[in-house]
Structure formats: structure tokens, C-alpha cells
Amino acid sequence: GRTARVTHTMDDTEYQVGLDLPGGAEITRLDPALHRYQIVGRGNRLELTALFAPEVDKVPSARDVVDASEEWWPRFWRTGGAVDLSRSTDPRWRELERRIVLSQYHLAVNDAGNDPAQESGLVNNGWYGKFHMEMYWWHAFHYGLWNRWSLLDRSTDIYERFLPHARELAVSQGFRGARWPKMTTAFGDAIGRESPGTPTCLLIWQQPHPLFLAEMDYQAHPQRSTLRKWETVVRETAEFMASFANREEETGRYVIGPPIMCCNERNKPESTLNPTFELSYWKFGLRIAQQWRQRLGRARDEALDEILDNLAPLPVEDGTYVLYEGVPNMWTERNTNHPDPIAPFGMLPGDGVDLETMRATTRRVYETWPVTDLYS
């Protein structure tokens, strides 16, 4: 075969695509304004590989790709964790196990790169190719749980790469530390720069994610090098979270919002105060930040303890947790999209959670939430 090179531009930066073409194949650009090409081979078989990179040197052949795949996938399945449900008495165990295995495959294919993936991975080109940092938790943390740290470690340095813009974003809004963007890119000069949009500028549940990932890393690798690896990111994240919490003069409690966009993005930002999930995540994150200070041989931060001790309780109405404090018509109009009120004891370990109240909330969600139509 022969190597052909075409170029494409993203965020004003030019990249190359290297193609390993079989002999006699022809490549034609269909539209000078679009990155669309037609490749025509000879005969009834066409073997083609494409390499996307800032600069292309040698493009692997189709045989090279097949050989690498035959080596990589057996190693993937023979390492890390596994689930065996064959002793279950529930007849649905086979289907559940099939979905677990299939999900691991899809996530490895779509979400194990050096940068966070789009919400849809490589399935389509949503949001102009940009990824959403709130979704990075879902795309990444499971690798640690399956003990596939080599895949998770490919991308966790994204926070260090984003630090300059995250600091600028926090300062521009009057906060300290680093405010992590929601929708952004990892390319060129725009790396970590926030994209426009209402949810983009008001969503906050991505802020504690690096604290969660850092703590998971330390639990698996409790050593000094892990502390150093995450030290700056943990400190800057906690600085922002602490400065984002407001102290109410009349009550002395620290609150979150308004304006704020809840995790499920079905709220009025200008009137939203103390969302249940975000409050619990704030409690968790600041608690972890204090633990990291102590592990590094430092004293606890008194300002963080002041906030932790006086952060508003998770909002409860009629014995259940609700989307946010004072939410109207919680169980008839606000029970849409994903059920945030149960996330503090599902996704999170339960900071600020009362177990009986959470049990009642879970029952109410089960009874009323349209889980078959999460975008209703």
C-alpha cells in the first residue's frame, strides 16, 4: 500500500489524517469546505486504515491493526475485575451479565483515550466534538473499580492541563481556586476554555469530580506519590468550592446558589437554592480535601471546617429528600430526567444523608419517577 495524508482543522488548529491505502486506490475530496472524502479501490476488497494525529509519521497497515487488536483484547479481558452471576436464582442474571460485559467493551472502545469523551463517545459528533466534564465521572471512574488503572491514568491529567483556564474562570467570577468547565475542548489554545450556554455556565456538579477520583486513586494506591500527583488539583478544587458557598447572615448557615443549575438540568437557576445532590457532593468534597491536608502533614483548614460544620442540611419535605430547597410540586412536575435526590447515597457515599429519609425517597422515586422516559 501507500501512505496518503489529508488535513482537517479544529479550533483553528490544523491536524493530519494519515491513510494507508492499497495499491491502485484513489482518494478524492468531495467538498473543499468539508472534511469528506471518497476512497475507491480496485477489485471487491478494500483494506484501509486511518491515523488521526497532529502530525502523521508512519500509518499502520490493516494487518498491523488486526494484530494489535488480537493482542490487546485478550489482555483486557484477562486483567482487571469480572462479575460472575451464574449462581443467581434470578432468571435475568444472564441478561444482566451480558450487559455488564458489553458495557465494559463499549467504554473501552469509546472512552479510554487521553482526553475525556463526548457523552456519546465515538458514536456521533455531538456538541461540535466537545466533551462535558460533568460526564467525565461516568466515563472514567469505573476503570478504577475494575482495577484497570492504566486506562484511567491515560486521561486524569486533564485537570492539570485545564488548570490555567480553570483558575482564570474562577477569578473572572470573583471566586478562588479553579472552577472546572462544563463543556470544553482539549485542543490548541482553547484547551479548558468554557463554551457558551446556560447549563454550561451554571452547572456545578463537575466541580468535586477530581476529589472523588483522587480519593479513589489513593484508596487503591495509598502512597506519597499519589498525594503529590493530585495535590494541586485537590487544593485548587477545594478553594473554589469553599468560596462558592455563601454564608447567610440571618441563619449563619452556608448555602449553594442561586443561580445554579441542578444536575438533572430541570430547574429554574435564578431561584434554585441548596440542591440535595450538590450539597452532599460539597460535603463529601470538602471532607476529602481536609483528609488530604492531614495526609500531607498539614493542619486542617479552619475555613473549610467552618463551612463543613455549617453547610445547610439536605432539603427534606414530607419525609423525603427533594430536588432543591423549596421546590414546588416536587413529585408531580419536578420528577423528570435523572432522579437527583437519591444520588447522594447511590453515586456518593452519603455525606449528610439520613438513612430512613433516603429509604423513603427511594420508595417515592420508584413509585413516581418516569424512569422509562428520562427526558420527559
Side-chain angles (χ1 to χ4, degrees):
R2 76 181 197 278
T3 297
R5 288 176 174 82
V6 297
T7 61
H8 68 101
T9 303
M10 180 179 292
D11 292 331
D12 298 323
T13 301
E14 188 174 273
Y15 297 88
Q16 293 184 349
V17 182
L19 302 171
D20 182 71
L21 297 172
E26 297 181 354
I27 179 170
T28 305
R29 188 164 189 168
L30 299 180
D31 188 328
L34 299 175
H35 300 302
R36 294 180 180 174
Y37 298 84
Q38 176 178 281
I39 300 172
V40 179
R42 292 182 177 178
N44 58 7
R45 177 170 177 166
L46 174 65
E47 291 185 351
L48 169 71
T49 59
L51 176 64
F52 296 79
E55 294 184 3
V56 172
D57 184 15
K58 183 179 184 300
V59 182
S61 67
R63 184 68 257 172
D64 293 336
V65 174
V66 171
D67 289 344
S69 178
E70 290 178 346
E71 177 184 350
W72 196 88
W73 281 109
R75 184 171 67 249
F76 174 84
W77 292 116
R78 291 168 183 164
T79 57
V83 170
D84 180 1
L85 304 178
S86 60
R87 298 182 66 180
S88 173
T89 58
D90 191 311
R92 297 171 296 181
W93 75 266
R94 287 184 182 274
E95 176 60 15
L96 178 57
E97 189 172 291
R98 185 190 71 83
R99 294 188 185 193
I100 292 172
V101 172
L102 183 60
S103 294
Q104 290 188 72
Y105 166 77
H106 279 307
L107 289 163
V109 168
N110 288 277
D111 295 315
N114 296 331
D115 301 320
Q118 301 175 75
E119 290 193 42
S120 54
L122 303 176
V123 175
N124 66 18
N125 186 24
W127 293 283
Y128 306 98
K130 298 179 180 180
F131 50 83
H132 292 200
M133 285 303 289
E134 82 276 18
M135 300 307 296
Y136 181 52
W137 185 91
W138 301 103
H139 293 164
F141 89 100
H142 60 92
Y143 293 120
L145 298 184
W146 292 111
N147 198 29
R148 294 193 173 106
W149 285 94
S150 62
L151 298 184
L152 179 55
D153 286 339
R154 288 177 175 179
S155 61
T156 51
D157 71 334
I158 194 68
Y159 291 105
E160 292 183 4
R161 289 187 272 154
F162 280 2
L163 259 178
H165 273 307
R167 286 168 174 155
E168 291 176 6
L169 181 60
V171 170
S172 71
Q173 298 175 352
F175 300 113
R176 302 186 306 275
R179 180 168 191 166
W180 307 112
K182 178 193 185 298
M183 186 170 73
T184 185
T185 179
F187 297 103
D189 295 335
I191 180 171
R193 183 176 297 161
E194 185 119 271
S195 299
T198 300
T200 301
C201 66
L202 294 174
L203 206 71
I204 63 166
W205 70 282
Q206 73 272 23
Q207 302 307 322
H209 283 353
L211 295 167
F212 190 108
L213 293 168
E215 182 63 14
M216 185 171 64
D217 196 351
Y218 185 78
Q219 293 298 325
H221 313 103
Q223 51 210 30
R224 191 78 175 176
S225 59
T226 307
L227 295 174
R228 292 301 184 191
K229 170 184 173 183
W230 289 95
E231 179 182 5
T232 301
V233 169
V234 166
R235 183 183 66 252
E236 301 262 353
T237 300
E239 275 287 304
F240 169 77
M241 292 173 61
S243 64
F244 189 82
N246 301 302
R247 185 180 183 275
E248 286 184 338
E249 293 297 331
E250 61 274 20
T251 65
R253 66 177 187 164
Y254 285 85
V255 301
I256 298 178
I260 192 176
M261 182 69 78
C262 291
C263 174
N264 81 351
E265 301 184 24
R266 295 294 188 274
N267 64 294
K268 294 182 178 180
E270 66 275 12
S271 59
T272 297
L273 179 71
N274 292 331
T276 293
F277 169 60
E278 284 80 359
L279 267 178
S280 183
Y281 213 177
W282 243 243
K283 292 176 184 286
F284 167 84
L286 295 179
R287 173 173 64 83
I288 294 301
Q290 290 287 54
Q291 290 179 0
W292 274 62
R293 288 183 63 88
Q294 293 175 301
R295 289 167 182 163
L296 287 163
R298 299 172 187 153
R300 293 176 67 89
D301 186 315
E302 293 183 3
L304 293 191
D305 274 338
E306 165 72 14
I307 297 171
L308 274 170
D309 293 341
N310 295 284
L311 201 59
L314 308 189
V316 177
E317 293 181 12
D318 299 325
T320 63
Y321 291 116
V322 290
L323 189 61
Y324 58 89
E325 192 172 299
V327 58
N329 307 316
M330 173 65 212
W331 300 104
T332 56
E333 297 179 10
R334 303 295 176 173
N335 54 340
T336 63
N337 208 0
H338 37 75
D340 290 10
I342 61 173
F345 209 51
M347 171 181 166
L348 302 178
D351 286 75
V353 167
D354 172 76
L355 291 182
E356 289 305 315
T357 304
M358 184 56 74
R359 288 191 179 99
T361 307
T362 304
R363 287 194 296 270
R364 198 71 180 274
V365 166
Y366 182 79
E367 294 166 357
T368 70
W369 216 280
V371 294
T372 57
D373 184 12
L374 295 183
Y375 292 93
S376 60

